Amino acid sequence: MNDFAGMEELLSDFLQEAGEMLSDVDSKLIDLEKSPNDRKLLNDIFRGFHTIKGGAGFLNAGELVTLCHLTENLFDKLRNGDLSLTAEIMDVIFAATGEVGKMFGALSQSQQPVAAPAEMLDNLKAALSGKPVTRNGSNQAVQTAGSAITSDLASEAGSLGHMAGSSAGNVTDAGWDALYSALTGTDIAAKVGVTRDPEMIARAVSEEESSQKVFGRRADDVPGSTVGRRAGDVPAKETKETTIRVDTVRLDQVLNLSGEIGLTKNRLTHLRSDIMQGRHDADTLRELDQSVSQLDMLVVNLQNAVMKTRMQPIGRLFNKYPRLARDLARSLGKDVELVLSGEETEMDKTMIEDLNDPLVHLVRNAVDHGVETVEGRVAAGKPEKSQVELSARQEGDHILITIADDGRGMRPEVIRNKAVEKGLITSEIANTLDENQCLELILLPGFSTKDEISSVSGRGVGMDVVKTNIQKLNGTINIHSEPGQGSVITILLPLTLAILPVLILRLGAQSFAVPLSMVREILSVTPEQLQQVSGRATMVVRGEVLPVLPLAQLIGWNESDKAPEVGVLMQVGNNSFILSADGFAGHDDVVIKSLDTFRPKGVAGVTMSSEGDIVLILDIKELLSDVKGR
């Protein structure tokens, strides 16, 4: 179904521009809450809603126009001094911006958005007339914030509902009693005493779900998304934005380098013609050498310039989270300020998009688990307002992202005991862990320090998602915490995944590449150095006994009778091992070509060697998972 046939280009332009504008409005609302009398902020936010309303009018999106018009009128009264900004009015405004984000989700699928909830519109009208608004505006803001924050508002709105919530909204459908009984083993009719009262059935479903522990998540679940949806809501598909804004200066640099490469190519063509005609004198060969060197330099510069066009400031992502922290803190009765720094730090756009879910989890955890309530902070002698800092900076060819809070901190022994209690590790293993290893237990699937499930936490599916997603980006996580002082979680990521420094190994006539970031050193391997421990080959390196894994064994090739000649000391997370091969051919910075239609297990992609041979880039973590599973 396409409600915008013939208007696709106009719709795409509107979503991109209005999405960025709404993100900017959300950021300014956070500032406005700190400075409610700032006339400039009030005017800027008023103009934002006015512009969005105008674009929605061109698209005949009547429900979006209605919501923006009411919110625009409210800001008109605020900026003219006819109304004073209160916490309750701010809740209503935040709920409205979240609803606008959900409407963008419907528009992104070429469908007209449904009307905003009647209660939200009533609250806006009540605020306009100076009447008190209902107190559940805060809950609306929290529910709708997820879809506005976890999406890139121009084209992605996230998942809008879970299956249970959706089902509860259609409890009058035929066969619901039997379906619910089959899924849960509970007679819902006996539980509520009636069979066709929608409100009582929905309430019982909610109570039943909240009493059961859930240790999993569907692949399409999005943190922060609303539970349930109204009839007519469109579940938005989570799609990645395919456009990027590039500074014209960077494009000019690419164009200039392309022109210089063209001139060098012409020179090489002329030299080739001379050589083909028999000119092999010293001057011709010297000119050939100079031209090839110049071409090499230009290609490297062009590659760097093209990569810079993919680089975007991380602030575009960071600016979404103050709203998330504000809404969540308010729903939990906490006073939290999210401080951002390093927003100008640049990294690959595709990586910025993939960072969204991990950072949502970490910000939510800092607000929910990390910082105390106002009463708890006063009792501990701390300021009432807690502070969570989200920062980014570049260190060499890596990006360091830090999430720090000044909350209660984590106690290693409590985490260790909780992991044993939940059956995630044995008591024997727990007794061998140091403090850092105990803190890393929070990254295990199913781990949670909360005994009861809430809408925010308790399911044990948060930090393991963070770890998995960061590992996909070839990143690492480090956790530091001081009880009573707070916690610091640092994420180390490469600048880009498009170009990868690798070490090239030889196995027979085939070349393989492993990420250079995992390589600690290259060793010579002789049969005398290998020792058998429990049937497995090991090697002692400076007093450390390390397992030796033949590359042929990892990739499933038949091992040859020839003894390996080189070993690569690899570091993957906290694990070290020696990868043995027939030889190595140096290191290089390669451009990864993905295998879309056919991807063998353990192969991340391919590249081409300088000799023109195909080089397979190995996914070491995936290969090791097979070894551990044997």
Side-chain angles (χ1 to χ4, degrees), residues 88-113:
E88 290 73 23
I89 290 179
M90 282 299 299
D91 287 337
V92 174
I93 293 169
F94 274 120
T97 59
E99 186 65 25
V100 170
K102 290 177 66 177
M103 290 183 174
F104 284 176
L107 290 171
S108 69
Q109 297 187 59
S110 300
Q111 297 187 30
Q112 288 284 5

Side-chain angles (χ1 to χ4, degrees), residues 223-260:
S225 60
T226 58
V227 180
R229 54 176 177 261
R230 303 184 307 279
D233 273 357
V234 179
K237 297 177 182 178
E238 191 175 3
T239 57
K240 290 189 176 182
E241 192 178 354
T242 56
T243 59
I244 187 172
R245 289 192 174 185
V246 181
D247 192 330
T248 54
V249 173
R250 291 184 173 179
L251 288 179
D252 288 342
Q253 185 182 9
V254 171
L255 183 61
N256 291 335
L257 287 168
S258 300
E260 292 185 36

Side-chain angles (χ1 to χ4, degrees), residues 271-339:
L271 288 170
R272 182 185 67 174
S273 177
D274 289 346
I275 293 173
M276 294 287 289
Q277 294 176 12
R279 290 186 56 183
H280 301 110
D281 56 276
D283 290 340
T284 300
L285 296 178
R286 184 172 59 254
E287 287 187 35
L288 177 63
D289 181 64
Q290 291 174 348
S291 297
V292 171
S293 298
Q294 184 178 9
L295 181 62
D296 180 63
M297 179 189 67
L298 290 173
V299 169
V300 171
N301 290 340
L302 179 62
Q303 191 177 53
N304 291 334
V306 171
M307 288 307 306
K308 285 183 179 179
T309 64
R310 294 167 54 100
M311 306 297 277
Q312 297 282 289
I314 202 171
R316 175 185 174 187
L317 182 65
F318 278 13
N319 289 335
K320 300 178 183 180
Y321 301 128
R323 164 74 187 275
L324 172 64
R326 180 263 179 202
D327 287 342
L328 182 57
R330 186 158 172 76
S331 70
L332 297 173
K334 298 180 179 182
D335 189 1
V336 180
E337 179 182 8
L338 180 63
V339 180

